[in-house]
Amino acid sequence: MSAAFVLTMLVVPPWLLTTLAGPPLPRWPTSAQLRSWIADPLNQHTLTAGLTALAWLVWLCLACTVAATAARRARASARWLRRLPLPTPWQAAATSMAGAAALNTAHIPTVDTPPPPVSASTDTLHPHDGAADTQAGDGVTVPGGWLPDTTAQQVAAAAALVWLRRRRAYQPGQPSPDDSDLAPLPTTVTAVRTALTDADSQLPPATSAAAALPILPRPCVALTGDAAPDAARGILLTRLLAAMRDPQDTTRLLITHTALTTLLPDISTDTEIPGLRVVDTVDQAAALLASLINAPPAPGGGAGHPDLLLLTDPANAPTAGQLAALQHVCATVVMLDAGPLGTTWSIDRDGHTRDEHTGQRGPRLCVLNRTAATDLLAVIAHPARERQHPVTEPAPPRRRPAETGHARIPRQAGSDRRAAAPDIPAVTNPRLQVRVLGRPALLADGEPITIRRSAALQVLVLLAVHPQGATTTDLVQAIWPGLPANTVTGRLYTTLSELRAAIRTATGATVLGHADDRYHLNPDRVDVDLWRLHAAAHHAATALTDPAPAWQTVIDTYTGDLAAGHNWAWIDPPREATRRLVLDAYASAAAAQTDPHHRLRLLQDAIRVDPYNQTLHQLAADQLNALGDADAAARLLDGYQRRLQLAGIAASDQPASSSR
């Protein structure tokens, strides 16, 4: 189509001009014509001649541009053909044998089932499957259930809030043997995020939290069928996510203890679930709803009354009648196989509902099995008694920097997560450079190499994060979470082959190695900025005298978040570990600084790296108070609290003063 358009633009205009106005230069003007033009320059003949000449000039510029572009592409193709490796005699013989075998078996008819349609990522030219499948308006299918689009987006938002809370609670510069808050989120959450990332351009815009809530018939609805427990879990999680997203219009849910343990037997007793109220018996639930009929509304405009009661244990006759009569409380009673008190819905495995009395189809409900519901509940529930740490002045760290690895990519046998940073040799004037701090890029002699596949870019960043290497299973589980490794291994091999080919075409070198069943980057031929950051942090942590310059080297090496601009499902743990590495450097450099103004500048720069960290804000406010600028300290803390509220984090009380 492009060639036809260019050919049309080159041929049609000169043909029209020649047909309508004649050739561009039929003859030179005579002296009589020149005198006539001087006497009357703006006549019909001269205007026509001028417009014709202008049209010929425009066409000439277009032709020159096309010719220059074609010549440049021809030169590039010639350079590529000169570097094209020719097959060896053994390869030629093998190819001939394979061709003969293909010709001999070509007459055998085969019938292949066409693969299901997959969603394409917005930043790749090739299909990219995730553990979950999503299409605009069709929701997200995960192992163990199905979620509407809006609910899936709320899961992704809740997962982001989990990492923001972890960033807020981290104390830079304080030795801590517990890195459990760097653990990746559950598998179902990862699958939902991967599906949303792959279908970013197809999903409809986010709507209000109420749009994700199914419209349930009042006053009572009974769920029956094989998927009734899954639908009850889906209603529970959908309501809790809505309450988490819109705290000013919180949807409160009332549930009996028996119903909670029946639907989620693995739930921990030491957790607090916002928006959920648990009662012991059905009678207590009915009495509580009845007492709220004439209760005043909650302060602040929130919905203080429960609007949904979820039951799995049957109610006795008096209690059932009492629940059926509660039409003025604006609460819906959902019962699981509890009898026809109102509408009865039959639920199939996909969440489709059907009224058993009328046979009419109802709305599709979110359905989740126990594992999927427990995984999603992890981004909603939090410990009832969070650990409170006093904000103290950071001390020189006694520990070595932790690696950016996480549980998805295991370490070498016998290795220790607290071990020293790997001894990576310095590369002198490397031709190939891998930049993963900030926007990831692969550079050859300073020029970027085009990576066509999103999965190939993920492989490159994964191997930079894990210099010890990663197995095929590790790479598949990270890039395509939740899918069996044997179903996508071929896609991984294709991705690795294209990545090798792109590097070999640009540099002629082999950088991606494979040894002991692990893929790795060759440290002798590639320079990785993340490796230099770890080497600098290890040197600073082990420096015995004057560590301030070493910490400054760490700060200067950090040029941005790990793989900035990409929301891959596996990236959060190593990204947060890398951010903590530079925050420790800032905090340690500030603690060793004797100039109070320089210390304040270091703390302010650290806040720019992580504007959600509470310890850094408190230390900076204390430093401002020490310098006599109490107004600036108050503005800093007020702005921090507003930032937390805008992010959807329930801001705690004003932090206490630092203890020294």
Side-chain angles (χ1 to χ4, degrees):
M1 291 297 295
S2 300
F5 177 75
V6 172
L7 185 63
T8 302
M9 293 300 297
L10 290 178
V11 174
V12 173
W15 175 77
L16 288 176
L17 290 173
T18 304
T19 302
L20 299 177
L25 291 176
R27 60 183 181 276
W28 292 103
T30 62
S31 58
Q33 290 175 336
L34 290 176
R35 287 194 299 271
S36 175
W37 176 77
I38 294 174
D40 187 13
L42 298 179
N43 54 38
Q44 182 179 1
H45 179 73
T46 56
L47 288 177
T48 302
L51 292 176
T52 303
L54 179 62
W56 278 109
L57 289 176
V58 172
W59 175 86
L60 183 61
C61 292
L62 175 63
C64 292
T65 302
V66 172
T69 303
R72 183 171 65 254
R73 293 186 177 180
R75 287 195 298 270
S77 300
R79 288 197 299 269
W80 178 79
L81 289 175
R82 286 197 298 269
R83 293 196 296 267
L84 183 65
L86 296 177
T88 63
W90 285 103
Q91 292 172 333
T95 304
S96 301
M97 295 174 63
L103 289 175
N104 290 334
T105 59
H107 66 282
I108 302 176
T110 60
V111 179
D112 294 330
T113 303
V118 297
S119 57
S121 176
T122 56
D123 57 350
T124 178
L125 301 179
H126 301 272
H128 176 82
D129 292 344
D133 180 36
T134 179
Q135 295 181 1
D138 292 339
V140 174
T141 302
V142 297
W146 176 87
L147 299 87
D149 292 330
T150 307
T151 303
Q153 294 174 19
Q154 291 173 3
V155 170
L161 287 180
V162 170
W163 285 105
L164 287 182
R165 291 191 184 95
R166 294 178 178 182
R167 290 170 60 179
R168 177 186 62 173
Y170 179 67
Q171 291 191 330
Q174 298 298 324
S176 174
D178 183 17
D179 284 340
S180 59
D181 59 343
L182 286 178
L185 296 178
T187 305
T188 307
V189 180
T190 303
V192 171
R193 295 184 60 191
T194 303
L196 292 180
T197 301
D198 293 344
D200 243 353
S201 61
Q202 301 179 14
L203 288 178
T207 57
S208 63
L213 304 178
I215 302 176
L216 302 176
R218 291 177 177 174
C220 301
V221 57
L223 305 180
T224 62
D226 295 337
D230 295 346
R233 280 185 285 265
I235 292 174
L236 173 65
L237 267 296
T238 301
R239 295 293 174 122
L240 294 179
L241 286 168
M244 187 177 183
R245 177 172 176 176
D246 292 337
Q248 296 301 325
D249 189 18
T250 300
T251 304
R252 301 187 181 273
L253 188 147
L254 187 64
I255 191 172
T256 61
H257 185 270
T258 303
L260 184 61
T261 55
T262 301
L263 297 176
L264 300 171
D266 299 329
I267 187 174
S268 174
T269 57
D270 190 27
T271 56
E272 180 181 330
I273 305 176
L276 181 65
R277 184 168 181 177
V278 183
V279 294
D280 292 332
T281 64
V282 179
D283 295 338
Q284 292 182 3
L288 178 61
L289 288 177
S291 66
L292 293 176
I293 295 179
N294 299 321
H305 300 170
D307 74 338
L308 189 141
L309 172 61
L310 186 57
L311 304 174
T312 60
D313 38 349
N316 53 36
T319 305
Q322 186 179 8
L323 291 175
L326 295 177
Q327 301 184 17
H328 303 289
V329 187
C330 297
T332 302
V333 180
V334 178
M335 296 184 177
L336 192 64
D337 294 330
L341 293 178
T343 305
T344 301
W345 277 353
S346 177
I347 315 295
D348 63 11
R349 288 296 179 183
D350 295 328
H352 298 288
T353 62
R354 181 178 58 84
D355 194 318
E356 289 191 350
H357 299 294
T358 63
Q360 295 181 350
R361 291 188 174 274
R364 188 178 183 182
L365 301 181
C366 175
V367 285
L368 300 169
N369 63 11
R370 291 181 178 179
T371 302
T374 304
D375 286 352
L376 296 182
L377 195 63
V379 300
I380 302 174
H382 53 80
R385 294 175 298 276
E386 295 183 355
R387 293 174 296 177
Q388 299 294 332
H389 301 286
V391 180
T392 59
E393 193 72 27
R398 298 294 182 184
R399 63 180 176 92
R400 292 172 180 176
E403 297 176 5
T404 57
H406 52 90
R408 191 174 293 281
I409 305 293
R411 295 288 163 268
Q412 295 276 12
S415 64
D416 185 7
R417 194 175 190 277
R418 296 284 178 186
D423 186 12
I424 300 172
V427 184
T428 305
N429 297 324
R431 290 196 60 194
L432 194 64
Q433 298 173 330
V434 177
R435 299 289 174 261
V436 296
L437 298 177
R439 296 287 298 188
L442 180 62
L443 306 176
D445 296 329
E447 294 295 329
I449 299 176
T450 301
I451 301 178
R452 296 174 60 85
R453 287 179 177 263
S454 172
L457 185 61
Q458 291 195 58
V459 168
L460 188 66
V461 178
L462 262 170
L463 297 182
V465 169
H466 304 282
Q468 301 91 344
T471 65
T472 300
T473 303
D474 297 333
L475 294 174
V476 166
Q477 290 178 352
I479 301 175
W480 297 284
L483 290 180
N486 57 355
T487 62
V488 288
T489 301
R491 190 183 311 162
L492 176 64
Y493 291 156
T494 303
T495 299
L496 294 172
S497 177
E498 289 195 5
L499 181 60
R500 284 196 182 102
I503 297 175
R504 190 182 302 114
T505 301
T507 64
T510 301
V511 176
L512 190 61
H514 185 255
D516 298 330
D517 198 29
R518 303 179 74 87
Y519 294 94
H520 61 87
L521 297 177
N522 190 343
D524 297 325
R525 297 185 177 180
V526 65
D527 172 64
V528 182
D529 55 355
L530 182 62
W531 297 355
R532 287 190 279 105
L533 177 69
H534 278 279
H538 175 66
H539 172 69
T542 56
L544 300 178
T545 59
D546 194 17
W551 290 120
Q552 187 61 44
T553 302
V554 178
I555 294 172
D556 296 337
T557 307
Y558 184 80
T559 56
D561 287 342
L562 179 66
H566 294 277
N567 295 322
W568 302 319
W570 60 269
I571 197 64
D572 284 323
R575 176 181 289 168
E576 179 60 20
T578 306
R579 184 186 292 114
R580 291 182 179 185
L581 205 64
V582 71
L583 292 183
D584 289 343
Y586 273 112
S588 301
Q593 184 57 241
T594 57
D595 183 4
H597 293 87
H598 192 188
R599 175 184 294 184
L600 178 60
R601 285 194 296 271
L602 287 171
L603 293 173
Q604 290 173 335
D605 292 340
I607 290 175
R608 295 187 184 95
V609 173
D610 190 354
Y612 294 96
N613 187 268
Q614 179 176 346
T615 299
L616 293 175
H617 281 82
Q618 185 59 56
L619 291 174
D622 291 345
Q623 191 62 43
L624 286 170
N625 287 324
L627 292 174
D629 197 347
D631 292 339
R635 289 195 301 270
L636 176 66
L637 294 179
D638 290 342
Y640 173 64
Q641 297 297 333
R642 287 195 300 270
R643 184 178 296 112
L644 293 180
Q645 293 174 358
L646 289 175
I649 302 176
S652 59
D653 295 335
Q654 197 78 341
S657 300
S658 301
S659 58
R660 291 183 174 84

